[in-house]
Amino acid sequence: MQQGIKIGTRGSPLALAQANDVKAKLIAAHADLGDGDVEIVVIKTTGDRILDRHLMNAGGKGLFTKEIEDALTAGSIDCAVHSSKDMPTRLPEGLVLSTFLKREDARDVFMSAKYASFSDLPAGATLGTASLRRRAMALRVRPDLKVVTFRGNVQTRMKKLAAGEADGTFLALAGLNRLGMSDAATEILSLADFLPAPAQGAVTVEIREDDTAMAACLAPLHCDETALAVTAEREFLAALDGSCRTPIAAYATRSGNSLMMHAMLLSLDGKTVFDKTGTCAATLEAAATLGQDMGAAIRGDAGEAFFETLATDIEAEIE
């Protein structure tokens, strides 16, 4: 068994919780690994430094992974732990997502220091979020709300709420669960009303493609069911955009020998929604094809003019 394993991660409390979970699972899976054999290496990313504006102004999803992936490519770490929804659909050459842990609850939660539910927000209330998906989902049912950019880790956003910077915000339930903070959720939102981001709630481990020893070490941690769902969702994302510049939602679930996915593309204001469901056999190849086909179908329904208008709307919003 490989000794002296170095796990790369961001330094937020949630990222550290996820990395330490991977460490604990590795030690539990291999009798010859002890606590001193697995080291957590914290790497600060560009995305961690940008807290006052949309990531789109600075480069998108890759801002949370570049420095970590550079360290992985250079060999200074052996693997990297990420939230799957933060991963670009195209990885640097020579790197792969080898492992997906069992998926946590993928639902969003509404958080507020003033109101008991999202529907309780008064007309004109301020909603804080940097997610275009959450913005569009909220505005499609509550077009009266004022949306402002709200970034930072879980603790930072909760402090902003307490300080009155917004009347409410959204977080992923998976993150609260991993931090032992699920009781802080004001309201858990239904999947029917707030379809999650592709791969939300799934932790992945990235390695060098040629590192067969690390792949074998991680193999006991891998969840086939999560890999199926995330493959379909990420392929759907890739077919439409592949970054954080588009309000896209997708959620796939396995039932027996079948995989079903519900997916959406929205305009920034939530007034236009393209919504599809699809099913396929529960294999990785079929899951990838399902995501690609559903993405192509929705792209065809929307038309290129929709994407041109969306890009213009987003540029105007984030300036």
Side-chain angles (χ1 to χ4, degrees):
M1 179 54 56
Q2 183 170 336
Q3 304 294 320
I5 296 170
K6 293 185 177 181
I7 300 175
T9 178
R10 295 167 59 197
S12 72
L14 177 56
L16 288 171
Q18 293 174 170
N20 277 292
D21 184 42
V22 170
K23 175 179 177 176
K25 284 180 166 60
L26 278 173
I27 293 170
H30 301 288
D32 55 348
L33 279 182
D35 186 74
D37 297 316
V38 185
E39 178 186 356
I40 304 293
V41 180
V42 175
I43 299 170
K44 191 158 190 176
T45 69
T46 302
D48 294 316
R49 299 184 180 97
I50 301 172
L51 300 175
D52 59 347
R53 64 188 191 278
H54 277 284
L55 295 177
M56 291 173 289
N57 284 329
K61 282 189 177 185
L63 295 173
F64 285 122
T65 60
K66 184 182 184 303
E67 288 84 355
I68 297 173
E69 289 176 327
D70 287 347
L72 185 56
T73 299
S76 55
I77 57 174
D78 300 295
C79 64
V81 177
H82 306 282
S83 294
S84 298
K85 74 180 180 68
D86 289 339
M87 297 302 292
T89 53
R90 292 185 180 180
L91 303 179
E93 186 176 355
L95 301 182
V96 293
L97 302 181
S98 70
T99 308
F100 291 95
L101 274 59
K102 182 175 175 59
R103 192 175 201 170
E104 249 286 4
D105 196 317
R107 290 176 294 178
D108 282 324
V109 302
F110 171 70
M111 304 281 292
S112 177
K114 304 175 183 177
Y115 305 102
S117 69
F118 175 66
S119 61
D120 285 344
L121 286 173
T126 300
L127 184 69
T129 182
S131 162
L132 297 186
R133 172 190 62 87
R134 287 170 173 153
R135 174 196 182 99
M137 289 277 183
L139 290 176
R140 71 174 176 151
V141 293
R142 290 292 307 274
D144 60 286
L145 297 177
K146 177 185 177 183
V147 182
V148 297
T149 300
F150 219 50
R151 286 209 52 236
N153 61 34
V154 172
Q155 291 80 3
T156 299
R157 280 186 261 183
M158 291 179 70
K159 287 178 182 177
K160 288 181 177 181
L161 277 182
E165 293 185 29
D167 297 307
T169 189
F170 300 119
L171 290 169
L173 178 56
L176 292 178
N177 285 345
R178 291 190 181 109
L179 289 168
M181 298 172 59
S182 57
D183 289 347
T186 304
E187 177 190 21
I188 298 175
L189 301 167
S190 73
L191 290 169
D193 293 331
F194 278 81
L195 200 64
Q200 183 162 306
V203 169
T204 188
V205 186
E206 187 177 24
I207 65 171
R208 292 181 291 278
E209 190 171 16
D210 60 359
D211 192 346
T212 55
M214 195 68 239
C217 186
L218 288 162
L221 280 61
H222 184 67
C223 176
D224 290 334
E225 184 172 340
T226 300
L228 278 173
V230 171
T231 294
E233 294 164 23
R234 280 175 55 79
E235 289 293 338
F236 173 74
L237 179 65
L240 284 177
D241 182 279
S243 74
C244 59
R245 292 189 67 92
T246 309
I248 295 173
Y251 185 60
T253 53
R254 179 177 179 172
S255 178
N257 294 322
S258 297
L259 185 76
M260 189 278 286
M261 184 164 73
H262 181 197
M264 299 174 68
L265 168 69
L266 304 94
S267 61
L268 190 60
D269 60 9
K271 292 180 179 178
T272 303
V273 180
F274 300 95
D275 190 332
K276 284 193 181 298
T277 58
T279 60
C280 69
T283 68
L284 284 175
E285 182 179 0
T289 299
L290 176 66
Q292 293 160 5
D293 289 349
M294 288 181 66
I298 283 185
R299 179 173 281 280
D301 289 346
E304 292 309 308
F306 171 84
F307 289 94
E308 292 170 5
T309 300
L310 179 63
T312 299
D313 291 345
I314 292 172
E315 290 296 335
E317 180 62 33
I318 65 177
E319 281 181 355

